[in-house]
Amino acid sequence: MSEAPVAPPTASAERTDGIDLLLRPPQPRAGWRLLPARVAAMCAVELQKLRHDRTELYTRAVQPALWLLIFGQTFTRIKAIPTDGIPYVDYLAPGIIAQSAMFIAIFYGIQIIWERDAGILNKLLVTPTPRSALITGKAFAAGVKSLIQAVVVIVIAALLGVALTWNPLKLLGVAAIVVLASAFFSCLSMTIAGVVLSRDRLMGIGQAITMPLFFGSNALYPVSIMPGWLQAISRFNPLSYQVDALRGLLLGTHAHVALDLAVLLVAAVLGITAASSLLGRLAR
């Protein structure tokens, strides 16, 4: 004898299940699952700021334009710096891209101090989002801003006749290099913020280290013509690896792109780790 068919659930049972779903919040996602969402959210916030106020883009485009127009054009004429046969303005362009990105990221710690003073940071820290996810999101948001600045500099360089590549794969590599380097420098800034706990001190330290980082790299001249002590410093300067990769990708010069990418990736991870460990101290 066959069994009786199971009766379908009643309408009242369906309503009860629906009410239960409304009354019971969904289970929070694990920390590692929050990381991509946090990174995307922080990047979206930065893009919203730029959409509402583009003044920063215009003002930050002035300095790289002056470097390329005045410094680059002048040294191209006098041929004072060996550049392996390429015009000096072409040689300089990747260095100015790296410089512009670094100048944006190196003061990123000021924003996190402002968030602490406004009470935003404490609210973020009581959420289930891991601290490493918060730092990573802010670091790659700085990378997005730096990437927009890099596009501006590339456009200026193209207008000046710099022979840049337009290979899509190489441009994607350029984007990755800029974002990773900016992530490191922004984490360096947030780490310093976690130590000094003051915007004024951070501004002073940031201004003190930006120019040594710039002049202690291969952004303006080859490492081979540096004095020995400066060559040693350049080997530990992440900006040198960023510039080397950008030259190799944009100009097709000899470069160690794989090594450069690996160094910047390790530097970004170490920067995120250091900044995350000091985030709690900053919020006290």
Side-chain angles (χ1 to χ4, degrees):
M1 183 175 181
S2 60
E3 295 181 359
V6 179
T10 62
S12 60
E14 292 178 354
R15 286 196 298 269
T16 302
D17 292 341
I19 292 173
D20 288 342
L21 289 174
L22 291 175
L23 294 178
R24 289 180 300 177
Q27 293 294 325
R29 291 175 291 178
W32 66 270
R33 294 182 182 177
L34 283 173
L35 182 58
R38 179 59 62 185
V39 171
M42 290 295 177
C43 290
V45 169
E46 294 300 323
L47 290 176
Q48 284 290 100
K49 292 178 182 178
L50 292 176
R51 192 184 72 171
H52 292 297
D53 185 8
R54 298 183 179 89
T55 306
E56 183 180 0
L57 287 179
Y58 302 144
T59 55
R60 287 190 179 276
V62 173
Q63 189 179 44
L66 291 176
W67 274 100
L68 292 173
L69 280 169
I70 299 176
F71 195 85
Q73 296 285 348
T74 300
F75 276 77
T76 297
R77 291 176 179 272
I78 63 177
K79 301 182 183 343
I81 298 176
T83 57
D84 294 330
I86 64 174
Y88 182 73
V89 68
D90 293 29
Y91 182 86
L92 180 65
I96 299 305
I97 292 172
Q99 178 217 44
S100 302
M102 181 187 68
F103 280 9
I104 289 176
I106 203 68
F107 294 105
Y108 211 76
I110 295 175
Q111 177 178 332
I112 203 169
I113 294 179
W114 176 86
E115 289 178 354
R116 179 203 62 186
D117 296 340
I120 298 173
L121 185 59
N122 287 329
K123 294 178 181 178
L124 290 173
L125 289 177
V126 298
T127 65
T129 306
R131 294 180 180 181
S132 59
L134 291 173
I135 293 297
T136 304
K138 291 180 177 295
F140 281 92
V144 171
K145 293 182 68 175
S146 299
L147 188 58
I148 296 172
Q149 180 67 24
V151 171
V152 173
V153 178
I154 287 174
V155 170
I156 295 173
L159 292 175
L160 291 175
V162 175
L164 301 174
T165 183
W166 299 108
N167 185 310
L169 292 178
K170 290 187 176 182
L171 292 178
L172 284 176
V174 168
I177 292 294
V178 170
V179 169
L180 282 176
S182 299
F184 165 74
F185 286 117
S186 63
C187 286
L188 175 62
S189 179
M190 289 185 281
T191 301
I192 296 172
V195 174
V196 301
L197 305 175
S198 166
R199 277 179 285 185
D200 293 335
R201 293 174 184 171
L202 179 59
M203 282 290 295
I205 294 174
Q207 291 174 351
I209 65 176
T210 48
M211 298 314 290
L213 283 170
F214 180 48
F215 288 111
S217 72
N218 55 353
L220 297 177
Y221 29 70
V223 176
S224 58
I225 68 172
M226 297 179 182
W229 62 269
L230 190 56
Q231 290 185 19
I233 292 175
S234 178
R235 292 190 185 96
F236 293 95
N237 187 350
L239 191 66
S240 295
Y241 295 93
Q242 182 187 7
V243 174
D244 183 68
L246 292 177
R247 283 205 181 103
L249 291 170
L250 289 173
L251 302 179
T253 59
H254 175 70
H256 308 87
V257 178
L259 174 64
D260 300 330
L261 184 62
V263 169
L264 293 175
L265 181 59
V266 171
V269 171
L270 292 177
I272 290 170
T273 303
S276 301
S277 65
L278 291 173
L279 189 60
R281 184 174 185 270
L282 186 65
R284 292 173 189 169

